[in-house]
Amino acid sequence: MYLGSHVSFDSKEQLLKSVKECISYGANTFMFYTGAPQNTLRCNLNDELTNKAYELMKENDIDINKVICHAPYIVNLANDFDPSKYDFSINFLKNEINRLETLGIKYLVLHPGSSVSIERNKALFNIANGINNILYKDCKVMILLETMAGKGTECGISLDEIKYIIDNINLKDNIGVCLDTCHLNDSGVDINNFDYYLDEFDKIIGIDKIKCVHINDSKNIIGSHKDRHENFGFGTIGFDALINVIYNEKLKDVPKILETPYVGEKKEYPPYKFEIEMIKSKKFNPNLINDIINYYK
Ligand code: FE
Ligand code: FE
Ligand code: ZN
């Protein structure tokens, strides 16, 4: 099983920092942003730090082929109303793919984008067109379209929309999908019936396209189109349904990444070490939040 969480990456320690944090949670994979998730400021990569990160990964049995990078939220390939912003998103992602090739990371999760003011079909076309501009022959990185909750004008909220985008991408080997359990729930998918969803996914897109799963409970009911993540087992999806996603045989080799919220009064404590323990034991801990706070404070 490949299980991990979102971890940090900073200009000082870079990937080495991410690996250290991953190990501190008892995880064997992780997901990072190459800078802040909310902006596109990025530092120069330091090979020495990258090599130290590789060493530490090797010592701890972390397979770099299962490590995930997430693109910042603010790039938007769906809306081309302002061509300079659309071009900025394309150029940022080109550079991001270069950074990942330098780091040896294979997967880049991307929110497909929000249509905002423009017609939805055009927005879906723009996403595919943008990705066609970013990818190139022999590119070693695969872009993973994340399934979205349908908040605002988000695109990529149904199997048909994801299929349409993939159908219009030229380099099919460089495109895949990242499921997000909170987003799926909020978009109207019943996670209690996850095998039915996987069968539909397989019929429409092909199950081998799933390369990552974001594991989050949801603060809101199915179909709410909200996208507010909750700690594992404490939301409307619930412990058993999420455990069944993680241990699903059909997704055995796919990395599972927690993006659940930090806890404590100031949201200062990461829940991942304790959530990972709970997942490995398959036993719900109703005192999880207090245990986390007591451990870190
Ligand atoms: Fe995401
Ligand atoms: Fe996600
Ligand atoms: Zn989300």
Side-chain angles (χ1 to χ4, degrees):
M1 174 166 75
Y2 299 96
L3 178 61
S5 71
H6 162 234
V7 297
S8 50
F9 176 106
D10 66 9
S11 54
K12 211 174 109 234
E13 276 201 290
Q14 305 191 354
L15 194 65
L16 182 60
K17 177 166 178 139
S18 310
V19 176
K20 284 179 182 172
E21 192 176 333
C22 162
I23 294 165
S24 79
Y25 298 148
N28 63 355
T29 191
F30 60 92
M31 181 177 82
F32 67 102
Y33 294 73
T34 56
Q38 312 85 357
N39 69 43
T40 51
L41 300 170
R42 293 301 182 257
C43 65
N44 291 323
L45 295 171
N46 175 325
D47 290 344
E48 203 182 314
L49 290 170
T50 306
N51 286 329
K52 280 187 184 162
Y54 291 164
E55 270 171 47
L56 198 57
M57 288 167 86
K58 222 175 141 194
E59 283 165 22
N60 289 277
D61 280 318
I62 298 168
D63 181 356
I64 195 164
N65 295 310
K66 301 292 179 184
V67 174
I68 310 286
C69 178
H70 198 307
Y73 316 138
I74 57 160
V75 302
N76 185 5
L77 292 180
N79 186 295
D80 66 346
F81 185 74
D82 179 344
S84 68
K85 279 190 188 162
Y86 184 65
D87 289 345
F88 177 85
S89 290
I90 289 174
N91 282 322
F92 177 86
L93 290 168
K94 279 184 182 168
N95 288 327
E96 189 77 336
I97 282 180
N98 282 335
R99 276 188 287 273
L100 294 185
E101 289 202 330
T102 304
L103 290 170
I105 305 290
K106 247 163 75 175
Y107 297 117
L108 177 63
V109 170
L110 176 70
H111 291 181
S114 295
S115 61
V116 194
S117 55
I118 63 169
E119 201 224 322
R120 200 159 181 95
N121 283 334
K122 177 70 168 61
L124 293 170
F125 173 81
N126 288 342
I127 296 163
N129 184 52
I131 291 172
N132 283 332
N133 274 292
I134 292 158
L135 293 172
Y136 53 91
K137 197 177 165 290
D138 298 325
C139 172
K140 292 184 189 69
V141 176
M142 186 187 263
I143 292 178
L144 306 183
L145 299 167
E146 183 165 346
T147 58
M148 301 309 289
K151 191 173 66 179
T153 60
E154 278 174 349
C155 298
I157 64 169
S158 66
L159 289 173
D160 289 337
E161 286 192 352
I162 299 277
K163 179 186 161 54
Y164 176 87
I165 299 167
I166 293 176
D167 280 350
N168 284 283
I169 287 170
N170 302 327
L171 297 169
K172 297 276 193 286
D173 289 345
N174 293 91
I175 192 79
V177 177
C178 171
L179 305 180
D180 181 311
T181 53
C182 168
H183 300 176
L184 287 176
N185 173 79
D186 291 14
S187 76
V189 172
D190 183 1
I191 303 295
N192 283 292
N193 210 346
F194 189 62
D195 275 304
Y196 172 78
Y197 175 77
L198 281 186
D199 287 345
E200 290 296 295
F201 192 103
D202 196 33
K203 270 185 244 159
I204 297 170
I205 296 168
I207 199 163
D208 55 318
K209 280 288 179 204
I210 302 173
K211 301 297 184 190
C212 179
V213 184
H214 288 167
I215 303 290
N216 304 301
D217 216 323
S218 175
K219 286 193 196 295
N220 293 288
I221 56 162
I222 182 170
S224 58
H225 302 295
K226 289 277 208 281
D227 187 8
R228 293 192 61 214
H229 302 184
E230 181 54 282
N231 289 105
F232 195 105
F234 289 84
T236 60
I237 301 174
F239 187 80
D240 294 341
L242 289 172
I243 284 286
N244 285 335
V245 172
I246 290 179
Y247 287 94
N248 194 294
E249 268 300 307
K250 290 175 201 149
L251 301 178
K252 205 166 98 259
D253 297 324
V254 176
K256 318 291 183 326
I257 302 291
L258 294 157
E259 296 177 306
T260 45
Y262 276 38
V263 304
E265 242 173 84
K266 293 179 202 137
K267 301 279 168 217
E268 66 271 60
Y269 306 127
Y272 308 123
K273 174 181 155 61
F274 287 81
E275 289 182 333
I276 286 169
E277 275 170 19
M278 197 168 67
I279 290 164
K280 285 180 179 168
S281 73
K282 298 189 194 177
K283 201 173 168 295
F284 182 60
N285 172 8
N287 296 314
L288 184 92
I289 308 296
N290 277 327
D291 288 352
I292 297 165
I293 293 169
N294 289 327
Y295 178 80
Y296 285 106
K297 84 171 181 202

